[in-house]
Amino acid sequence: MAEKRDYYEVLGVPRDADEATIKKAYRTLAKKYHPDLNPGNKEAEDKFKEASEAYAVLSDPDKRAKYDQFGQSAFDGAAGGAGGFDFSQMGDIFGDIFNDTDIFSSLFGGGGRRGSSSGSTATRGQDVRMSVHITFEESFTGTTKNIEAMVREECPDCHGTGAKPGTQPEVCPRCGGRGRIVYTQRSIMGMIQNVTDCPDCHGTGKIVREKCPKCYGTGYISRKKTLQVKIPAGIDNGQFVRLSGEGEPGKNGGSRGDILVQIIVDESREFSRDGYDLFTTNPIPYATAVLGGPIIVNTIDGQVEYEVKPGTEPGTRVRLRGKGMPSLRNSAMRGDQYMTLTIEVPKRLSSEAKEALMEYDRIQSGKERTFKKRGFFGNK
């Protein structure tokens, strides 16, 4: 099987592209390679599927974070390629961009939206984004945080209908309760049927004449809810944890969205991070650099002893294997710690140490060196 191209390369966007840029790039490619506009063109169909797969990953914050961290290996073993990617799931995405869900669904069989028993469109609820701060040490060990979120729940008075207690919503006369209307439009390909949400009932298939006073006809009330966020060991700054089914409620029987919690990791005074590797700067005494010897080194999970080699030069980088961050995929696997060794230059010496150093200098240089003392007023 041919290796898949980088998703950012497929869409032609930089790796730091925002959601709007990614969406715009996909829209351009989807219009260009849409099978309806390229009948019988297998190459166009393949490019259309490739762009759709890339967009399905990069438009999802959780999948994008995993892809940025691990590349295609983040989805190894998942059915359908990228994290269980299924082209029939693109109906919602494609419909949101082009309002043309039915055309897309007919190309790949099925769609992301389902009709309810009343014929109206079932729509998944929107995702909600939040953030939580953790310490650098907590990103190593993993932790659990409580967050407070305002969530919408079904109104207890009208049970989600939006109608005043004792009344019932009416079937929308414009769409006949289907929640969608069909209109025909002429295009270069001939007459095309388009399907859109009914403007009168907004896709619900029902009209509320008398609104519930508790929820003002929305069918939902808002309340504060405390949620637990389990943050895995090894998580990096900016990555997301998904709380499935805790987001906005769906419409017409659609599932709830998710809460996407972005993890903000405080900086460490001692360690810097790149992927799963940690980096430190460790000063060592001059004598240890010359003669070699053991030093005590701080790691993220405690102190260890390291044997400095004789003749170590300033700026030497050494590696402590397995002393980095744990892998999100396998907690038994860890990155490494890289130490840059610097030489401590003493600012004050005792008379004995100064004499010993002068003797060392005499031996090394082969000549006597004299050092002038400063006078009371700083003159030599």
Side-chain angles (χ1 to χ4, degrees):
M1 180 182 291
E3 186 176 351
K4 292 183 179 181
R5 287 201 297 155
D6 180 82
Y7 287 149
Y8 292 96
E9 178 186 339
V10 170
L11 296 183
V13 297
R15 301 192 76 83
D16 59 352
D18 57 19
E19 291 181 11
T21 301
I22 291 173
K23 188 172 185 178
K24 182 179 179 181
Y26 173 62
R27 182 188 183 98
T28 300
L29 292 173
K31 281 187 173 181
K32 181 177 180 180
Y33 297 114
H34 197 296
D36 273 4
L37 302 179
N38 299 272
N41 188 332
K42 184 64 167 60
E43 182 180 356
E45 182 181 343
D46 290 342
K47 288 185 176 181
F48 179 72
K49 290 183 178 181
E50 184 182 46
S52 298
E53 180 175 338
Y55 180 77
V57 171
L58 299 186
S59 63
D60 183 303
D62 189 45
K63 288 183 179 179
R64 182 178 181 181
K66 291 180 180 178
Y67 180 77
D68 287 344
Q69 187 70 38
F70 309 118
Q72 289 290 349
S73 62
F75 310 115
D76 284 347
F85 178 78
D86 181 355
F87 280 102
S88 67
Q89 297 172 357
M90 285 296 293
D92 281 339
I93 296 174
F94 200 79
D96 288 342
I97 296 179
F98 298 102
N99 196 25
D100 196 13
T101 306
D102 284 0
I103 291 178
F104 190 88
S105 300
S106 67
L107 294 172
F108 297 102
R113 303 185 180 185
R114 301 180 303 276
S116 68
S117 59
S118 65
S120 55
T121 304
T123 307
R124 179 181 180 274
Q126 291 186 341
D127 292 336
V128 176
R129 292 197 179 198
M130 303 184 69
S131 63
V132 65
H133 283 259
I134 64 173
T135 65
F136 193 85
E137 290 71 25
E138 286 174 329
S139 72
F140 167 72
T141 60
T143 185
T144 299
K145 296 289 184 178
N146 289 335
I147 61 171
E148 289 189 341
M150 291 299 295
V151 298
R152 291 201 299 164
E153 302 281 351
E154 185 180 276
C155 175
D157 286 8
C158 67
H159 304 290
T161 66
K164 181 180 178 179
T167 68
Q168 292 293 329
E170 301 175 6
V171 174
C172 176
R174 181 164 184 174
C175 66
R178 292 184 296 274
R180 296 184 293 177
I181 59 173
V182 180
Y183 65 93
T184 304
Q185 185 178 22
R186 185 180 298 276
S187 72
I188 59 173
M189 302 297 295
M191 301 301 290
I192 295 179
Q193 277 193 336
N194 292 293
V195 181
T196 186
D197 284 348
C198 174
D200 288 4
C201 65
H202 306 291
T204 65
K206 298 176 181 179
I207 298 291
V208 177
R209 301 296 182 188
E210 295 185 71
K211 295 182 178 180
C212 172
K214 187 175 183 70
C215 65
Y216 306 103
T218 64
Y220 301 96
I221 58 171
S222 295
R223 70 179 184 91
K224 187 179 291 186
K225 186 177 181 180
T226 301
L227 300 170
Q228 273 197 344
V229 185
K230 294 183 179 180
I231 302 171
I235 197 162
D236 205 351
N237 182 53
Q239 291 184 319
F240 288 84
V241 173
R242 181 184 295 271
L243 302 181
S244 298
E246 298 290 354
E248 288 292 299
K251 296 180 180 179
N252 305 316
S255 61
R256 296 186 74 102
D258 304 329
I259 291 183
L260 304 176
V261 184
Q262 186 174 36
I263 308 302
I264 309 300
V265 182
D266 296 336
E267 291 186 1
S268 169
R269 294 183 178 181
E270 187 168 7
F271 301 97
S272 59
R273 177 176 179 174
D274 183 7
Y276 291 120
D277 294 329
L278 296 177
F279 298 83
T280 58
T281 299
N282 295 73
I284 60 175
Y286 174 74
T288 303
V290 174
L291 303 175
I295 61 171
I296 300 299
V297 176
N298 290 330
T299 70
I300 190 68
D301 55 352
Q303 293 184 329
V304 297
E305 186 178 278
Y306 176 77
E307 188 74 22
V308 177
K309 295 180 180 179
T312 294
E313 296 183 353
T316 297
R317 175 178 284 185
V318 298
R319 178 168 63 174
L320 301 178
R321 294 182 183 273
K323 289 299 179 181
M325 285 288 185
S327 167
L328 285 173
R329 292 176 293 175
N330 183 354
S331 59
M333 297 176 60
R334 290 179 59 178
D336 302 322
Q337 178 175 328
Y338 291 88
M339 298 189 302
T340 299
L341 301 178
T342 60
I343 309 301
E344 289 180 329
V345 178
K347 294 182 179 180
R348 293 185 179 182
L349 292 174
S350 66
S351 57
E352 292 84 2
K354 186 178 292 185
E355 288 176 3
L357 185 60
M358 291 174 64
E359 177 64 16
Y360 166 78
D361 181 68
R362 185 189 65 78
I363 294 173
Q364 288 293 103
S365 63
K367 57 184 179 180
E368 196 76 31
R369 194 187 300 269
T370 59
F371 296 89
K372 295 182 180 180
K373 297 183 179 179
R374 293 184 179 272
F376 182 78
F377 295 102
N379 57 315
K380 295 181 179 180

